[in-house]
Amino acid sequence: MRIEDFKNLHIAIVGGGYGGAASAIALKSIGAENVHVYEQAPAFGQVGAGIGLRPTTVELFRQWGIFDAIAAVSAPSDRLEIVTADGKMVLAQEEWPELHGFAQTNHTRIIHRGDFIEALFGALPPKMVHLGYQLNGITDHGNTSTLTFENGESVTADLVIGADGIRSLVRKQLFTDKAPVFAGEHAYRTVISLDDTFDLVTDDNPRFYIASNGTVAYNLPLRHRNQVSYDITARSEDDTWAPIITNDYLVALLEGFDQRILDIARTLDISKVTSRSVYDIDPVDLWHTDSVTLLGDSAHAMLHHQGQGANSAIQDAGALANALLEADSVPAALALFQANRKPLTDELQRLSRLGWTPESAEVAFPEQSAAK
């Protein structure tokens, strides 16, 4: 499609997470002007913990002209280290894939989720962002689709991007009503001061501590904030969305771990710990119609073990913009987008379900081996 075509294309994005915001930025970067993001929350807040934005993702930020904004609220990392639960043996220590794969070195950026969302939306004109718009339904007319919202408003667009997450209503109404799949795990996350880590953090690189029973404790340094993201994943049969926990419960989970990890668990303000059951979705056979596409978690929600969820959503955004430039129509672009991205995300979903054990942690990035 010609760049001139984008100026008249009405694009509606459902969901104001990483995928939705990145899609708006990517489309804006190729000339789209009539792009609107509809987010159900009434406001953006500082929620969540830390994530790692990989070098290939960082390269997109450079292309979109937002690298400086991301760098200002993140810390650079050059490697990932995986160690035994007691911290006495290094199982794997590897540079991030593609660290030196571009004209400039692209470190993985360790960032707080709230800072990341603020930086993304700070790159968009306020008129593109609509808060308090909870999707009620979608009707596909072929070349256009209509969104209806709980507030009574409706929007008809030439292209609708369903970036509405793991419980996507767009996916449920147009593609598949299969429910998310419980992984048999819980994830506990919080952000604490570096001063409260008992000297656990010594550099800017994430470190995973892995036990033979599948429990993983990992930390992502947020040194620019003088903080660290402290995370635990452990097996559980309780599929309650937000399980109730105590400090004693966390300490018991971490028996045999590095004493500093236990000390942190014992002294945490438990009211500030996010407790969640872990879910993903089975691969979705079809992501698109002629005027609607899924993107990010709505298309391929994956477990967090490989740290690829946010990165995949942002890579989707770049791939969708490229497909629109390459194809001669919106339907052709959506087909090309799925053809380019689905094999990659199917494999990442599969790898993410494998989890971590000391035996499986011979390499830090199993997707690298799978691609060979």
Side-chain angles (χ1 to χ4, degrees), residues 193-209:
S193 170
L194 282 172
D195 300 331
D196 297 327
T197 62
F198 300 90
D199 297 322
L200 179 69
V201 177
T202 57
D203 56 32
D204 290 324
N205 298 301
R207 187 166 289 107
F208 283 46
Y209 295 78

Side-chain angles (χ1 to χ4, degrees), residues 12-21 36-45 47 117 121 128-135 147 149-151 163-165:
I13 301 171
V14 183
Y18 314 130
H36 296 270
V37 180
Y38 298 92
E39 163 58 35
Q40 66 179 357
F44 295 119
V47 296
I117 286 293
F121 279 103
M128 285 188 175
V129 183
H130 308 272
L131 301 178
Y133 278 73
Q134 181 173 342
L135 185 67
L147 303 169
F149 298 96
E150 290 287 351
N151 60 13
D164 50 338

Side-chain angles (χ1 to χ4, degrees), residues 25 51-54 57-58 60-62 64-76 107-112 115-123 224 314:
I25 293 170
I51 57 172
L53 302 170
R54 295 197 180 190
T57 299
V58 172
L60 287 176
F61 299 153
R62 293 191 189 278
W64 298 340
I66 64 170
F67 171 78
D68 288 345
I70 299 296
V73 291
S74 63
H107 291 92
T108 284
R109 309 299 304 194
I110 309 300
I111 192 169
H112 188 285
D115 291 341
F116 185 34
I117 286 293
E118 287 183 5
L120 290 175
F121 279 103
H224 58 293
I314 297 158

Side-chain angles (χ1 to χ4, degrees), residues 181 183 185 278-280 301-309 352-353:
V181 179
E185 294 179 328
V278 179
Y279 286 81
D280 68 356
M302 58 190 69
L303 303 184
H304 62 284
H305 298 138
Q306 303 299 329
Q308 289 281 19
S352 294
R353 283 183 169 180

